[in-house]
């Protein structure tokens, strides 16, 4: 898969998340998915995302930039949302919060196999 194809696949994955199209998630995420070094599989990945959307009903993944080096993608994601309770252990409780996530993906068989995510929790804490 070349860089353009991988970028298009990644953008399709982000669109899938924003639609909350969980039935299509397996088209983008490998059955043996790992998140920050822990094997969670496709079902655990879906459970994690569903929990994110319950905690943040207006969650929207906005791509700030992408760096593509097949089979890897690096992305900076922007979030401007209103969590209903705690967010990453912080008492946001319905207040608007803006933050970023720097996330790295490794694809295998045209699906996400490994994810390494770093969320800017300090930015959230500074807004409380």
């Amino acid at each position: 898969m070349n860089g353009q194809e991988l970028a298009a696949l990644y953008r399709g994955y982000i669109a899938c998340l924003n639609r909350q199209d969980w039935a299509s998630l397996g088209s983008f995420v490998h059955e043996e998915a790992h998140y920050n070094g822990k094997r969670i599989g496709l079902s655990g990945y879906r459970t994690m995302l569903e929990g994110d959307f319950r905690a943040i009903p207006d969650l929207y993944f906005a791509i700030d930039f992408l760096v593509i080096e097949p089979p890897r993608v690096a992305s900076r994601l922007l979030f401007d949302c209103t969590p209903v309770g705690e967010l990453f252990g912080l008492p946001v409780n319905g207040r608007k919060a803006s933050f970023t996530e720097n996330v790295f993906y490794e694809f295998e068989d045209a699906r996400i196999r490994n994810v390494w995510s770093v969320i800017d929790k300090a930015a959230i804490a500074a807004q409380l």
Side-chain angles (χ1 to χ4, degrees):
M1 178 172 297
N2 68 35
Q4 288 181 335
E5 293 167 333
L6 191 53
L9 180 63
Y10 180 74
R11 289 181 189 284
Y13 160 72
I14 293 296
C16 175
L17 298 185
N18 285 331
R19 288 190 312 270
Q20 298 180 55
D21 181 5
W22 308 130
S24 297
L25 190 62
S27 298
F28 301 98
V29 177
H30 199 281
E31 286 288 335
E32 298 296 319
H34 287 73
Y35 183 83
N36 284 344
K38 180 181 176 192
R39 187 199 173 283
I40 61 172
L42 175 58
S43 64
Y45 202 91
R46 177 178 174 164
T47 297
M48 175 185 68
L49 289 166
E50 288 174 334
D52 291 344
F53 276 93
R54 275 193 304 279
I56 312 168
D58 63 347
L59 184 60
Y60 183 83
F61 292 76
I63 299 171
D64 186 21
F65 62 80
L66 293 177
V67 176
I68 309 290
E69 187 178 303
R72 294 179 189 89
V73 170
S75 181
R76 180 176 170 88
L77 300 171
L78 305 175
F79 300 95
D80 187 24
C81 54
T82 314
V84 295
E86 283 192 1
L87 182 62
F88 311 118
L90 299 169
V92 179
N93 300 321
R95 288 178 276 188
K96 202 101 167 124
S98 297
F99 61 96
T100 59
E101 176 183 17
N102 295 313
V103 62
F104 305 89
Y105 304 86
E106 186 171 54
F107 284 73
E108 182 180 297
D109 301 325
R111 292 182 294 160
I112 296 166
R113 175 72 187 251
N114 291 296
V115 179
W116 298 273
S117 167
V118 179
I119 294 172
D120 188 357
K121 296 176 188 175
I124 300 166
Q127 295 169 63
L128 299 180

